[in-house]
Amino acid sequence: MERRRCIALYSGGLDSIIAVKLMMSQGIDVIPLFFATPFFGLDAIRDPRSYRDKQLERYGVYVHVIDYTDDFIPILSTPKHGYGRWLNPCIDCKIGMLRKARNLLKPFNASFIITGEVLGQRPMSQRRDTMNIIAREAGCKDILLRPLCARHLSPTEPELSGIVDRDALLDITGRGRKTQLGIAGSMGIKPQYIPTPTGGCLLTNAEVASKVRHTIERCHPLPPTRYDLFMDVVGRKFVLDESTIFTVARNEEENKILSEMIFPGNIFIKISGYPGPLAVMRGEMTKENLGIAASICLRYSKARGTGGVKAYWGDSPMSMNGVIDARIANDDILRRYQFDFSR
Ligand code: SF4
């Protein structure tokens, strides 16, 4: 008997929700996979269960969170098809996700893959020629179904074999959302839960892109590690020397996120006895770098302007047993070490 089960690349955007529900409405068992990286789905990596519960409650969809970071690092460092406007390697990123999904077909006992892609919606990765390249290079040419625009594309295996009713698939094209909003309403998705459109992941943000580019260069010729990349999506970045960076949380939420980044090589720093930010140094743990880090940390704490202040440091926020004098960083020091976004 043909397997009436598919894997969905699920982004949490409206198009992927509709694609999943469209298949479910045909009685097909759908396994939605959310591929998360620090640039797209940091919250899902930090707390996959909450992410899954939210999707289930809002859309009736049971999502599996896949941490895609390690697969994504070589793609991000040297994308065969290059970058988009910023540091977003969208074509290679999609090929990588589809390859991973294809390898999961057997374990999930599924026979094809769906995505929420819409022909002509994105200038680079959703043109007809690019969509063909993505399907071909991912090795999914005949088993990749794009339900939202399927009637503009050649029939795929699940359609030809009758697992999927092609006549019930859609023929959406372009960037508008009117049709999708109408469908969302008819599917019973509450207006307050209709996701707002995004322009892409954090790699399409100029500042994050600039920080990540610096990280790739700093780590070269090795690729950056996942621990290096997580440092670039939170906090204020400082560059202490060519192999050492320092990140200072900007608010309570960032304090919390940074406190979870107990990674090999990270050193946590905090001013003792006063409210202030948590900070992380990564790279060369010299006394000089620790001193500079402590002085920058002091600059952003409530102890600024106070003398005789000390900073605690250690490899976890729970075990900061090192102590160092903190002398406040003046404007020149801040300017010298703060990350240069114009680079
Ligand atoms: S915007 Fe591009 S690089 Fe970022 S997650 Fe989407 S496809 Fe991947």
Side-chain angles (χ1 to χ4, degrees), residues 101-141:
R102 193 195 62 202
N103 289 336
L104 290 169
L105 284 173
K106 211 166 165 197
F108 278 114
N109 196 26
S111 62
F112 64 101
I113 301 169
I114 65 162
T115 71
E117 289 166 295
V118 169
L119 190 61
Q121 189 180 68
R122 298 214 187 253
M124 182 164 86
S125 60
Q126 294 185 19
R127 290 192 329 235
R128 185 183 293 271
D129 55 341
T130 322
M131 285 167 78
N132 285 337
I133 291 170
I134 290 171
R136 197 176 57 240
E137 291 197 16
C140 300
K141 194 167 164 294

Short mmCIF file of all heavy atoms in Angstrom, two decimals, residues 101-141:
data_model
loop_
_atom_site.label_atom_id
_atom_site.label_comp_id
_atom_site.label_asym_id
_atom_site.label_seq_id
_atom_site.Cartn_x
_atom_site.Cartn_y
_atom_site.Cartn_z
N ALA A 101 15.74 16.39 5.28
CA ALA A 101 14.36 15.85 5.32
C ALA A 101 14.28 14.56 4.51
O ALA A 101 13.64 13.59 4.92
CB ALA A 101 13.39 16.89 4.77
N ARG A 102 14.97 14.55 3.36
CA ARG A 102 14.94 13.32 2.52
C ARG A 102 15.52 12.13 3.29
O ARG A 102 14.99 11.03 3.23
CB ARG A 102 15.75 13.59 1.24
CG ARG A 102 15.54 12.53 0.17
CD ARG A 102 16.61 12.64 -0.89
NE ARG A 102 17.93 12.42 -0.32
CZ ARG A 102 19.08 12.82 -0.83
NH1 ARG A 102 19.11 13.50 -1.95
NH2 ARG A 102 20.22 12.58 -0.23
N ASN A 103 16.61 12.39 4.03
CA ASN A 103 17.21 11.31 4.83
C ASN A 103 16.31 10.85 5.96
O ASN A 103 16.51 9.78 6.52
CB ASN A 103 18.55 11.75 5.40
CG ASN A 103 19.61 11.86 4.31
OD1 ASN A 103 19.49 11.21 3.27
ND2 ASN A 103 20.60 12.71 4.52
N LEU A 104 15.34 11.68 6.30
CA LEU A 104 14.44 11.30 7.41
C LEU A 104 13.16 10.63 6.91
O LEU A 104 12.33 10.20 7.72
CB LEU A 104 14.09 12.56 8.23
CG LEU A 104 15.26 13.12 9.05
CD1 LEU A 104 14.91 14.49 9.63
CD2 LEU A 104 15.61 12.16 10.18
N LEU A 105 13.00 10.53 5.59
CA LEU A 105 11.77 9.92 5.06
C LEU A 105 11.61 8.50 5.60
O LEU A 105 10.54 8.13 6.10
CB LEU A 105 11.80 9.89 3.53
CG LEU A 105 11.53 11.23 2.82
CD1 LEU A 105 11.77 11.10 1.33
CD2 LEU A 105 10.10 11.71 3.09
N LYS A 106 12.68 7.73 5.48
CA LYS A 106 12.60 6.32 5.91
C LYS A 106 12.32 6.20 7.41
O LYS A 106 11.37 5.51 7.81
CB LYS A 106 13.88 5.58 5.51
CG LYS A 106 13.62 4.14 5.20
CD LYS A 106 14.80 3.53 4.50
CE LYS A 106 14.65 2.02 4.55
NZ LYS A 106 15.92 1.39 4.25
N PRO A 107 13.13 6.86 8.25
CA PRO A 107 12.83 6.75 9.68
C PRO A 107 11.40 7.14 10.04
O PRO A 107 10.82 6.57 10.96
CB PRO A 107 13.83 7.71 10.33
CG PRO A 107 14.92 7.88 9.34
CD PRO A 107 14.36 7.61 7.98
N PHE A 108 10.86 8.12 9.33
CA PHE A 108 9.48 8.54 9.63
C PHE A 108 8.44 7.76 8.81
O PHE A 108 7.25 8.05 8.87
CB PHE A 108 9.30 10.04 9.37
CG PHE A 108 9.79 10.91 10.49
CD1 PHE A 108 10.88 11.76 10.33
CD2 PHE A 108 9.16 10.90 11.73
CE1 PHE A 108 11.32 12.58 11.36
CE2 PHE A 108 9.59 11.72 12.78
CZ PHE A 108 10.68 12.55 12.58
N ASN A 109 8.93 6.82 8.01
CA ASN A 109 8.03 6.03 7.16
C ASN A 109 7.15 6.91 6.28
O ASN A 109 5.94 6.69 6.13
CB ASN A 109 7.16 5.11 8.04
CG ASN A 109 6.52 4.01 7.22
OD1 ASN A 109 7.05 3.63 6.18
ND2 ASN A 109 5.36 3.52 7.65
N ALA A 110 7.77 7.96 5.71
CA ALA A 110 7.04 8.88 4.83
C ALA A 110 7.56 8.71 3.41
O ALA A 110 8.64 8.15 3.20
CB ALA A 110 7.28 10.32 5.30
N SER A 111 6.79 9.18 2.43
CA SER A 111 7.20 8.93 1.05
C SER A 111 7.44 10.20 0.23
O SER A 111 7.92 10.13 -0.88
CB SER A 111 6.18 8.05 0.33
OG SER A 111 4.94 8.70 0.28
N PHE A 112 7.07 11.36 0.77
CA PHE A 112 7.36 12.59 0.03
C PHE A 112 7.48 13.77 0.99
O PHE A 112 7.24 13.65 2.19
CB PHE A 112 6.32 12.85 -1.07
CG PHE A 112 4.91 13.09 -0.59
CD1 PHE A 112 4.39 14.37 -0.52
CD2 PHE A 112 4.09 12.03 -0.22
CE1 PHE A 112 3.08 14.60 -0.10
CE2 PHE A 112 2.80 12.24 0.22
CZ PHE A 112 2.29 13.53 0.27
N ILE A 113 7.89 14.92 0.41
CA ILE A 113 8.17 16.13 1.21
C ILE A 113 7.31 17.27 0.68
O ILE A 113 7.14 17.40 -0.53
CB ILE A 113 9.66 16.51 1.10
CG1 ILE A 113 10.55 15.35 1.59
CG2 ILE A 113 9.98 17.77 1.89
CD1 ILE A 113 12.04 15.53 1.27
N ILE A 114 6.81 18.09 1.58
CA ILE A 114 6.11 19.30 1.13
C ILE A 114 6.77 20.54 1.73
O ILE A 114 7.42 20.46 2.78
CB ILE A 114 4.60 19.29 1.51
CG1 ILE A 114 4.42 19.34 3.05
CG2 ILE A 114 3.88 18.09 0.92
CD1 ILE A 114 3.02 19.76 3.47
N THR A 115 6.59 21.66 1.06
CA THR A 115 7.03 22.96 1.61
C THR A 115 5.91 23.97 1.36
O THR A 115 4.99 23.72 0.57
CB THR A 115 8.31 23.49 0.90
OG1 THR A 115 7.96 23.90 -0.43
CG2 THR A 115 9.41 22.45 0.85
N GLY A 116 6.03 25.12 2.00
CA GLY A 116 5.04 26.18 1.80
C GLY A 116 5.49 27.18 0.74
O GLY A 116 4.96 28.30 0.69
N GLU A 117 6.43 26.80 -0.10
CA GLU A 117 6.95 27.74 -1.10
C GLU A 117 5.86 28.18 -2.09
O GLU A 117 4.99 27.39 -2.44
CB GLU A 117 8.09 27.10 -1.88
CG GLU A 117 9.37 26.93 -1.06
CD GLU A 117 10.34 26.00 -1.76
OE1 GLU A 117 10.01 24.81 -1.92
OE2 GLU A 117 11.40 26.47 -2.16
N VAL A 118 5.99 29.43 -2.51
CA VAL A 118 5.06 29.98 -3.50
C VAL A 118 5.87 30.53 -4.66
O VAL A 118 6.79 31.33 -4.45
CB VAL A 118 4.21 31.12 -2.86
CG1 VAL A 118 3.43 31.88 -3.92
CG2 VAL A 118 3.26 30.55 -1.81
N LEU A 119 5.53 30.10 -5.84
CA LEU A 119 6.24 30.54 -7.04
C LEU A 119 6.24 32.07 -7.13
O LEU A 119 5.18 32.69 -7.05
CB LEU A 119 5.54 29.93 -8.26
CG LEU A 119 6.21 30.04 -9.61
CD1 LEU A 119 7.57 29.34 -9.63
CD2 LEU A 119 5.30 29.47 -10.70
N GLY A 120 7.44 32.65 -7.26
CA GLY A 120 7.54 34.10 -7.46
C GLY A 120 7.42 34.92 -6.19
O GLY A 120 7.37 36.14 -6.24
N GLN A 121 7.39 34.26 -5.03
CA GLN A 121 7.22 35.05 -3.79
C GLN A 121 8.51 35.71 -3.35
O GLN A 121 8.50 36.81 -2.83
CB GLN A 121 6.69 34.15 -2.68
CG GLN A 121 6.29 34.92 -1.44
CD GLN A 121 5.76 33.98 -0.36
OE1 GLN A 121 6.51 33.20 0.20
NE2 GLN A 121 4.48 34.06 -0.11
N ARG A 122 9.62 35.01 -3.53
CA ARG A 122 10.92 35.59 -3.13
C ARG A 122 11.81 35.70 -4.36
O ARG A 122 11.84 34.79 -5.19
CB ARG A 122 11.59 34.73 -2.08
CG ARG A 122 10.77 34.63 -0.81
CD ARG A 122 11.64 34.55 0.43
NE ARG A 122 10.80 34.29 1.58
CZ ARG A 122 10.52 35.20 2.51
NH1 ARG A 122 11.00 36.41 2.42
NH2 ARG A 122 9.76 34.89 3.54
N PRO A 123 12.54 36.82 -4.45
CA PRO A 123 13.27 37.08 -5.68
C PRO A 123 14.34 36.04 -6.00
O PRO A 123 14.58 35.73 -7.15
CB PRO A 123 13.91 38.45 -5.44
CG PRO A 123 13.87 38.66 -3.97
CD PRO A 123 12.72 37.86 -3.45
N MET A 124 14.98 35.48 -4.97
CA MET A 124 16.09 34.59 -5.26
C MET A 124 15.66 33.13 -5.22
O MET A 124 15.79 32.40 -6.20
CB MET A 124 17.23 34.82 -4.24
CG MET A 124 18.45 33.98 -4.50
SD MET A 124 19.92 34.55 -3.64
CE MET A 124 19.77 33.77 -2.06
N SER A 125 15.11 32.70 -4.11
CA SER A 125 14.93 31.26 -3.91
C SER A 125 13.58 30.73 -4.39
O SER A 125 13.37 29.53 -4.37
CB SER A 125 15.13 30.92 -2.44
OG SER A 125 14.19 31.60 -1.65
N GLN A 126 12.66 31.60 -4.80
CA GLN A 126 11.36 31.06 -5.22
C GLN A 126 11.02 31.44 -6.67
O GLN A 126 9.86 31.65 -7.02
CB GLN A 126 10.26 31.47 -4.23
CG GLN A 126 10.51 30.79 -2.88
CD GLN A 126 9.43 31.02 -1.83
OE1 GLN A 126 8.31 31.40 -2.14
NE2 GLN A 126 9.77 30.79 -0.57
N ARG A 127 12.06 31.57 -7.48
CA ARG A 127 11.85 31.67 -8.93
C ARG A 127 11.76 30.25 -9.46
O ARG A 127 12.34 29.32 -8.89
CB ARG A 127 13.04 32.36 -9.59
CG ARG A 127 13.17 33.83 -9.29
CD ARG A 127 14.19 34.48 -10.21
NE ARG A 127 15.25 33.58 -10.62
CZ ARG A 127 16.55 33.84 -10.46
NH1 ARG A 127 16.93 34.96 -9.87
NH2 ARG A 127 17.46 33.01 -10.87
N ARG A 128 11.07 30.09 -10.59
CA ARG A 128 10.87 28.72 -11.11
C ARG A 128 12.21 28.00 -11.35
O ARG A 128 12.39 26.86 -10.93
CB ARG A 128 10.08 28.78 -12.42
CG ARG A 128 9.73 27.40 -12.97
CD ARG A 128 9.01 27.53 -14.31
NE ARG A 128 7.72 28.15 -14.19
CZ ARG A 128 6.58 27.48 -13.95
NH1 ARG A 128 6.60 26.17 -13.82
NH2 ARG A 128 5.42 28.10 -13.85
N ASP A 129 13.17 28.71 -11.97
CA ASP A 129 14.44 28.03 -12.26
C ASP A 129 15.17 27.65 -10.97
O ASP A 129 15.72 26.56 -10.84
CB ASP A 129 15.33 28.90 -13.17
CG ASP A 129 15.58 30.28 -12.60
OD1 ASP A 129 14.80 30.72 -11.72
OD2 ASP A 129 16.55 30.94 -13.01
N THR A 130 15.13 28.56 -9.98
CA THR A 130 15.82 28.26 -8.72
C THR A 130 15.12 27.13 -7.98
O THR A 130 15.77 26.26 -7.38
CB THR A 130 15.86 29.51 -7.81
OG1 THR A 130 16.08 30.65 -8.61
CG2 THR A 130 16.95 29.39 -6.78
N MET A 131 13.80 27.14 -8.01
CA MET A 131 13.06 26.07 -7.32
C MET A 131 13.40 24.70 -7.94
O MET A 131 13.51 23.69 -7.23
CB MET A 131 11.55 26.33 -7.37
CG MET A 131 11.13 27.45 -6.41
SD MET A 131 9.47 28.08 -6.69
CE MET A 131 8.46 26.84 -5.94
N ASN A 132 13.61 24.69 -9.25
CA ASN A 132 14.01 23.44 -9.91
C ASN A 132 15.40 23.01 -9.46
O ASN A 132 15.65 21.84 -9.20
CB ASN A 132 13.98 23.60 -11.43
CG ASN A 132 12.56 23.62 -11.96
OD1 ASN A 132 11.65 23.10 -11.29
ND2 ASN A 132 12.33 24.20 -13.12
N ILE A 133 16.32 24.00 -9.40
CA ILE A 133 17.69 23.68 -8.96
C ILE A 133 17.67 23.11 -7.54
O ILE A 133 18.31 22.11 -7.23
CB ILE A 133 18.59 24.94 -9.02
CG1 ILE A 133 18.83 25.35 -10.47
CG2 ILE A 133 19.92 24.72 -8.29
CD1 ILE A 133 19.50 26.71 -10.64
N ILE A 134 16.90 23.76 -6.67
CA ILE A 134 16.84 23.33 -5.26
C ILE A 134 16.34 21.88 -5.19
O ILE A 134 16.95 21.03 -4.53
CB ILE A 134 15.92 24.27 -4.45
CG1 ILE A 134 16.59 25.65 -4.29
CG2 ILE A 134 15.59 23.67 -3.08
CD1 ILE A 134 15.71 26.73 -3.69
N ALA A 135 15.26 21.59 -5.91
CA ALA A 135 14.69 20.23 -5.86
C ALA A 135 15.69 19.21 -6.41
O ALA A 135 15.88 18.13 -5.83
CB ALA A 135 13.39 20.19 -6.65
N ARG A 136 16.35 19.58 -7.51
CA ARG A 136 17.27 18.64 -8.15
C ARG A 136 18.50 18.38 -7.27
O ARG A 136 18.85 17.24 -7.00
CB ARG A 136 17.68 19.20 -9.51
CG ARG A 136 18.29 18.16 -10.45
CD ARG A 136 18.60 18.72 -11.82
NE ARG A 136 19.50 19.86 -11.79
CZ ARG A 136 19.21 21.07 -12.25
NH1 ARG A 136 18.04 21.32 -12.80
NH2 ARG A 136 20.08 22.06 -12.17
N GLU A 137 19.11 19.47 -6.78
CA GLU A 137 20.34 19.29 -5.99
C GLU A 137 20.06 18.63 -4.64
O GLU A 137 20.95 18.04 -4.04
CB GLU A 137 21.05 20.64 -5.81
CG GLU A 137 21.63 21.14 -7.12
CD GLU A 137 22.69 22.22 -6.93
OE1 GLU A 137 23.20 22.41 -5.82
OE2 GLU A 137 22.97 22.89 -7.94
N ALA A 138 18.84 18.76 -4.17
CA ALA A 138 18.49 18.10 -2.90
C ALA A 138 18.15 16.63 -3.12
O ALA A 138 17.92 15.89 -2.17
CB ALA A 138 17.33 18.82 -2.23
N GLY A 139 18.08 16.23 -4.40
CA GLY A 139 17.73 14.84 -4.70
C GLY A 139 16.26 14.54 -4.44
O GLY A 139 15.89 13.42 -4.12
N CYS A 140 15.42 15.58 -4.59
CA CYS A 140 13.99 15.42 -4.25
C CYS A 140 13.08 15.75 -5.44
O CYS A 140 11.89 16.02 -5.23
CB CYS A 140 13.61 16.39 -3.14
SG CYS A 140 14.48 16.20 -1.63
N LYS A 141 13.63 15.77 -6.63
CA LYS A 141 12.90 16.30 -7.78
C LYS A 141 11.47 15.75 -7.90
O LYS A 141 10.51 16.51 -8.09
CB LYS A 141 13.71 15.99 -9.05
CG LYS A 141 13.27 16.74 -10.25
CD LYS A 141 14.31 16.60 -11.34
CE LYS A 141 13.78 16.98 -12.70
NZ LYS A 141 12.74 16.10 -13.18
#
